[in-house]
Amino acid sequence: MLRQRPCLAALILSCLPATGAGAAVPTPESHFGHPIGADRQLLDWDRVVSYFYALTRSSDKIQVTEYGRTAENRPLIVATIATPETLRNLDRYREIQRRLADPRITSPAQAEAMFKEGKNIILMTCSIHADEVASTHSAVEFAYRLITETNPRFQTILDNTILLLVPSLNTDGVDIVTRWYRSTLDTKFEGTNPPEIWQKYIGHDNNRDWYIFSQPETRATISQVHNVWHPEIVYDVHQQGGYASRMFIPPWLDPAEPNIDPILLQEMNAVGTSMAADLTAAGKPGIAIHAAYDFWSPSRHYQAFHGGLRILTESASARLATPLAVTPDQIDENALGYKPQEKSWNYLEPWLGGVWKLRDIIDYQEVAFESLLHNAAVNREDMLRKFYRVGQHQVERASLSTAQPMAAIVIPKDQRDPGATRRMLQTLAFGAVEIMQDRGGDYVIPMRQPYSGYAKALLEPQHYPNLLLYPNGPPQRPYDVTAHTLPLLFGVDVKFSGQDVTEELHKADLAEPTETRDFYKAADTDGWKAINTAWATGKPVWRNEAGDFAIGRQQAAGWHEVRRPRIGLYRSFMADIDEGWTRWLFEQFGFAYTTLRNADFESGNAQAGNLRARFDSIVFADEQPNAIENGHPPGTMPDEFTGGLGTRGADALRDFARAGGTLVFLNRASEYAIGKLGINAKNVVANVPAQEFYSPGSLLNVKLDLRDPLTQGLPESIAIWSEASPVWSSEESVAKYTENGVLASGWLLGEKRIAGKTALIHARYGAGHVVLFGMRPQYRAQSYLTFKLFFNALLLN
Ligand SMILES: [Zn+2]
């Protein structure tokens, strides 16, 4: 259920169904003080919120609900727009959706009546990427128009649909970008992006979170909107670069994730193409379909695994709200799927330059909004029918072209890592997967349930097709990563069964354990949070040769006390998303850390030069070596945000390690250490063309050297995350790629180049340590298995 906003006296009307008896509906201009989309004007989130509440006080066609809070405690709101009659009966329409979403509880005859009665539920989500500023503006203006303009198309929309309009999925980001933009107006930095990530922990990666659900924005939207309303369509409004098409609309490029129902893919093709036709009819050139974006990673395709269409549009960007002038020779020549300078079937009216403004983006988006909503409205009954049919496919496991029918997925109860196992199952359950238990306690996911394809997609290995741009040419770049196999990422054993489960099952209990233990096996992810809690409360922590932990009293001989590591985490001004993921991980597992900026490494700083007195470990998240060393070049950003560690920073790091500190570098940052600290290793895939080596977000098999303390709690054979990852020849290897069969999930070209080579280095450096990860061991909050490699590195001294 949606949570109602607490009633404040001043807002009391907003909590009630709108009466329509209020004053005239306020125009956006009267509220914001400028026309929507005016050059060099961006919106503040609190003003957007107050505008939507103002609409509810003067119109009976809109309700507004605060459905959650962000990482920085701003409200997330959804505006529900329909006829007053529909709004009075929302409970009934929600119930119809719930019933149609699950054919096990709704017979075809019952469904037939619901196709007639139900409304089409359309969720539109704006500005998840906060630098893609336009769609929050479009949401404001379109909401006003939809409830005030009387025309037959809008009436058809209101009569047949329930529009759930989320004006921003990242409301912290709205303010981060708006404030930065205003601070740079009339300077030469006007139109640049902020020197910080625009969501507290994961920045632009917030559209990669929609099956792991790590962030509060994701969790609130899934639990309070998606899983309550089961929308037929989720339209996610984005922007792309400014130098190619004016707007991308589906059809998607190949490949599509194989568990997505072909009905949905056909409907996405149809709805997208219809939007493109409406934009062309409205005189909007530069529309590309079947271009640039594939449909593989479930990271933002939640709804396509839950019975609904996912529509994405990507509008060309201006420079935030500053117009962008594009000359014909600046048109990008290298778009995927079409040539931006030439007419083709999927790019019929090339846009060949001109001045492109925020207002232009909004104009295109509002045509797209209306087109999608009108199409859905006139096809209401048919879309509901197909929505139900998709659920039937899942439950029947029919029309799902797998050679071997799968009847159940079994997760045995006895696992090396009980904490990670429970976390993986909780994550699936949050995504509306029904998880059962048999009498022996094993977990069972029967495939005869509405979202079985979703569970299957996340639990099976991915086989990404070998897509080349032309025969013997370079690989066609996937839109995102190619692997998302949770059992490999979490280190959990899973069995796929062709047999229907006949024994009686009960709903699994996935609650967090309430009792606190004082002993943890090295393999159990749960232990890490517990030991950090112990440290925070002043209790001693002990570890034995096997890496197990004991809290409190020393156990027996063979145990040594482990001190809480004092961690420094480097943060550049390059808005490094991986640094944010690292912070998120530290906070989830209770590690105390201090953010280190460039100034902490300068000799003029009183504390610099004595990093070892302050820290035991210093961590560099995945970032280009040049970004660490040099940061933004002078003149490209205000002075206080330029520069990097420079020569003095490298000196300080060498002193730190020689004096006994541990330096930990993740993925690309490792190359900084090789260059600046003189670690003896050579990256064998540096400058190798993609035809010869390519691992675009894949899971690869390695063997660990179990004698090294980094590997405590891990088995010898694991899969690690690989994307733009260095691979070394090194004498100090802790993990080596297997000699053959390197690919565990995803896509890999050039296996031979890395077979037997190194993915993890542990080098002694003076009295200290340098650890180089040729991977992101904390990958997007989901690589639980390799979290332990990372945590062990923090405890080396
Ligand atoms: Zn985007």
Side-chain angles (χ1 to χ4, degrees):
M1 290 291 290
L2 296 169
R3 183 156 46 87
Q4 282 292 335
R5 194 178 207 280
C7 280
L8 305 171
L11 292 171
I12 194 146
L13 278 173
S14 71
C15 303
L16 303 170
T19 63
V25 181
T27 64
E29 184 169 357
S30 71
H31 182 85
F32 292 97
H34 58 79
I36 289 294
D39 286 350
R40 308 174 81 220
Q41 294 281 356
L42 289 179
L43 307 179
D44 297 290
W45 181 244
D46 62 346
R47 300 292 293 153
V48 174
V49 172
S50 61
Y51 183 66
F52 274 94
Y53 279 109
L55 293 180
T56 68
R57 289 193 290 276
S58 49
S59 169
D60 53 6
K61 297 175 192 162
I62 181 169
Q63 294 179 2
V64 175
T65 310
E66 179 183 323
Y67 71 86
R69 288 266 163 172
T70 63
E72 297 181 278
N73 203 33
R74 284 182 182 79
L76 290 160
I77 61 168
V78 57
T80 308
I81 303 177
T83 62
E85 171 70 18
T86 301
L87 290 182
R88 278 194 290 275
N89 293 290
L90 289 181
D91 287 347
R92 172 63 188 153
Y93 294 114
R94 260 197 302 268
E95 176 63 9
I96 289 173
Q97 286 300 110
R98 189 183 74 82
R99 296 282 305 274
L100 289 179
D102 190 347
R104 295 172 304 175
I105 58 171
T106 311
S107 70
Q110 291 169 326
E112 200 61 41
M114 293 178 186
F115 302 149
K116 299 265 185 302
E117 184 188 355
K119 302 292 182 189
N120 215 335
I121 312 299
I122 315 292
L123 169 61
M124 298 201 334
T125 56
C126 301
S127 299
I128 186 171
H129 290 152
D131 63 329
E132 300 165 14
V133 293
S135 61
T136 298
H137 299 69
S138 303
V140 162
E141 187 169 85
F142 190 78
Y144 171 76
R145 290 179 51 214
L146 189 56
I147 62 179
T148 57
E149 288 180 15
T150 47
N151 66 58
R153 284 172 67 87
F154 279 7
Q155 195 57 49
T156 302
I157 292 169
L158 292 169
D159 287 341
N160 289 283
T161 61
I162 295 172
L163 168 60
L164 305 170
L165 178 61
V166 176
S168 169
L169 270 179
N170 175 12
T171 69
D172 294 338
V174 170
D175 285 343
I176 290 169
V177 170
T178 293
R179 286 171 192 172
W180 170 255
Y181 181 67
R182 288 193 188 131
S183 77
T184 59
L185 279 176
D186 294 316
T187 74
K188 67 175 180 171
F189 311 112
E190 178 175 328
T192 58
N193 277 350
E196 61 180 307
I197 55 178
W198 35 90
Q199 189 274 356
K200 184 175 180 183
Y201 297 107
I202 67 171
H204 214 74
D205 262 2
N206 56 359
N207 67 331
R208 315 297 195 208
D209 196 42
W210 297 74
Y211 63 84
I212 208 72
F213 316 118
S214 71
Q215 300 299 306
E217 298 86 354
T218 323
R219 297 186 75 79
T221 307
I222 290 293
S223 64
Q224 306 301 309
V225 185
H226 280 262
N227 291 352
V228 171
W229 275 106
H230 310 286
E232 271 82 30
I233 303 179
V234 175
Y235 174 15
D236 198 34
V237 193
H238 284 250
Q239 288 172 225
Q240 57 187 354
Y243 296 93
S245 74
R246 297 301 91 190
M247 188 183 259
F248 158 79
I249 310 175
W252 308 89
L253 289 179
D254 274 330
E257 210 287 338
N259 294 289
I260 294 171
D261 195 295
I263 295 175
L264 295 176
L265 288 159
Q266 297 282 27
E267 286 188 288
M268 286 186 258
N269 291 345
V271 169
T273 308
S274 175
M275 292 164 74
D278 283 347
L279 277 146
T280 298
K284 306 295 184 197
I287 303 301
I289 61 172
H290 191 253
Y293 302 90
D294 61 55
F295 208 64
W296 183 260
S297 168
S299 52
R300 185 75 183 106
H301 296 165
Y302 183 83
Q303 204 55 29
F305 291 96
H306 291 77
L309 284 60
R310 189 214 175 193
I311 297 293
L312 164 77
T313 59
E314 295 270 357
S315 294
S317 296
R319 298 170 61 232
L320 299 176
T322 299
L324 172 72
V326 179
T327 57
D329 61 303
Q330 289 178 310
I331 298 291
D332 188 357
E333 292 173 9
N334 297 312
L336 196 55
Y338 70 108
K339 292 194 171 111
Q341 287 161 322
E342 290 176 23
K343 176 175 174 164
S344 59
W345 78 269
N346 57 339
Y347 192 57
L348 287 160
E349 296 181 303
W351 187 86
L352 295 172
V355 175
W356 185 250
K357 299 177 164 207
L358 173 61
R359 185 65 239 180
D360 295 316
I361 307 171
I362 296 167
D363 287 342
Y364 274 61
Q365 287 180 349
E366 289 191 39
V367 175
F369 287 12
E370 178 181 330
S371 172
L372 175 133
L373 288 166
H374 188 257
N375 188 337
V378 296
N379 290 302
R380 179 192 60 80
E381 190 176 326
D382 193 48
M383 287 199 84
L384 292 180
R385 193 179 297 278
K386 292 200 177 88
F387 178 73
Y388 180 71
R389 188 78 194 104
V390 170
Q392 284 181 310
H393 277 175
Q394 295 287 310
V395 171
E396 295 162 4
R397 300 310 290 164
S399 176
L400 298 164
S401 50
T402 45
Q404 264 186 323
M406 188 184 293
I409 303 174
V410 179
I411 299 98
K413 79 169 190 297
D414 293 322
Q415 300 273 349
R416 293 187 87 251
D417 186 342
T421 304
R422 191 178 57 257
R423 185 69 62 214
M424 187 186 88
L425 293 170
Q426 288 171 334
T427 303
L428 291 167
F430 194 85
V433 175
E434 292 172 10
I435 299 170
M436 311 299 285
Q437 248 174 320
D438 64 19
R439 274 196 292 269
D442 288 345
Y443 299 96
V444 180
I445 301 174
M447 287 288 97
R448 297 188 187 281
Q449 59 170 300
Y451 310 130
S452 52
Y454 174 69
K456 183 169 167 291
L458 291 174
L459 294 174
E460 69 187 4
Q462 279 69 58
H463 304 284
Y464 195 87
N466 199 33
L467 282 179
L468 306 180
L469 285 174
Y470 47 86
N472 299 316
Q476 178 180 311
R477 185 178 63 80
Y479 167 60
D480 188 24
V481 303
T482 60
H484 41 266
T485 315
L486 296 186
L488 295 176
L489 287 158
F490 281 71
V492 174
D493 292 330
V494 169
K495 296 191 173 90
F496 299 94
S497 167
Q499 305 289 314
D500 259 326
V501 187
T502 49
E503 84 169 277
E504 202 175 310
L505 302 173
H506 59 274
K507 196 167 185 300
D509 175 14
L510 301 174
E512 292 289 327
T514 49
E515 61 184 275
T516 315
R517 288 178 284 154
D518 60 7
F519 181 86
Y520 291 90
K521 299 294 286 182
D524 190 350
T525 302
D526 278 352
W528 289 97
K529 196 164 187 171
I531 65 166
N532 275 294
T533 306
W535 276 321
T537 54
K539 286 186 190 157
V541 173
W542 307 87
R543 215 167 184 199
N544 67 9
E545 283 301 305
D548 303 331
F549 290 104
I551 294 167
R553 200 164 50 82
Q554 184 174 7
Q555 302 292 300
W559 290 77
H560 63 280
E561 186 173 356
V562 194
R563 284 179 300 112
R564 185 176 215 190
R566 298 167 301 162
I567 302 168
L569 174 62
Y570 175 67
R571 185 175 186 176
S572 72
F573 291 111
M574 305 296 280
D576 179 28
I577 294 169
D578 202 55
E579 181 271 338
W581 282 114
T582 311
R583 262 188 289 124
W584 181 91
L585 190 73
F586 284 162
E587 292 178 22
Q588 293 304 304
F589 284 88
F591 284 96
Y593 67 91
T594 303
T595 291
L596 293 175
R597 316 266 356 194
N598 292 333
D600 289 287
F601 297 86
E602 284 167 10
S603 57
N605 184 314
Q607 290 173 315
N610 201 8
L611 290 168
R612 182 67 189 101
R614 296 171 65 200
F615 300 106
D616 301 306
S617 308
I618 296 178
V619 175
F620 288 80
D622 177 33
E623 195 169 18
Q624 292 285 8
N626 183 48
I628 298 171
E629 188 180 5
N630 299 313
H632 290 292
T636 61
M637 286 289 260
D639 284 346
E640 62 266 41
F641 304 118
T642 59
L645 291 188
T647 310
R648 277 191 290 243
D651 290 343
L653 291 175
R654 283 191 287 268
D655 291 346
F656 173 79
R658 284 196 194 105
T662 299
L663 291 170
V664 180
F665 294 88
L666 309 187
N667 215 37
R668 293 171 301 171
S670 296
E671 292 296 292
Y672 175 87
I674 291 172
K676 296 296 163 189
L677 306 178
I679 304 301
N680 186 17
K682 184 177 182 306
N683 181 5
V684 300
V685 297
N687 305 314
V688 173
Q691 286 101 308
E692 293 171 35
F693 177 74
Y694 195 52
S695 177
S698 304
L699 287 159
L700 305 183
N701 290 312
V702 301
K703 272 204 185 318
L704 299 178
D705 178 350
L706 295 183
R707 295 165 302 178
D708 193 280
L710 292 178
T711 64
Q712 287 187 324
L714 286 109
E716 186 180 26
S717 296
I718 65 168
I720 62 162
W721 184 257
S722 161
E723 185 180 28
S725 300
V727 178
W728 299 292
S729 57
S730 164
E731 302 291 306
E732 292 156 311
S733 177
V734 180
K736 284 188 170 153
Y737 290 102
T738 51
E739 291 293 342
N740 44 49
V742 174
L743 180 63
S745 185
W747 190 20
L748 177 65
L749 298 179
E751 169 184 290
K752 284 201 173 65
R753 280 192 178 264
I754 64 170
K757 295 290 193 296
T758 290
L760 175 59
I761 291 174
H762 176 187
R764 297 302 308 232
Y765 197 92
H769 307 258
V770 177
V771 179
L772 307 185
F773 281 89
M775 67 189 92
R776 288 164 62 191
Q778 70 333 4
Y779 168 71
R780 289 182 184 168
Q782 50 193 282
S783 52
Y784 274 68
L785 185 55
T786 54
F787 288 177
K788 289 189 279 282
L789 287 173
F790 184 37
F791 295 159
N792 284 329
L794 302 173
L795 299 194
L796 278 175
N797 55 42

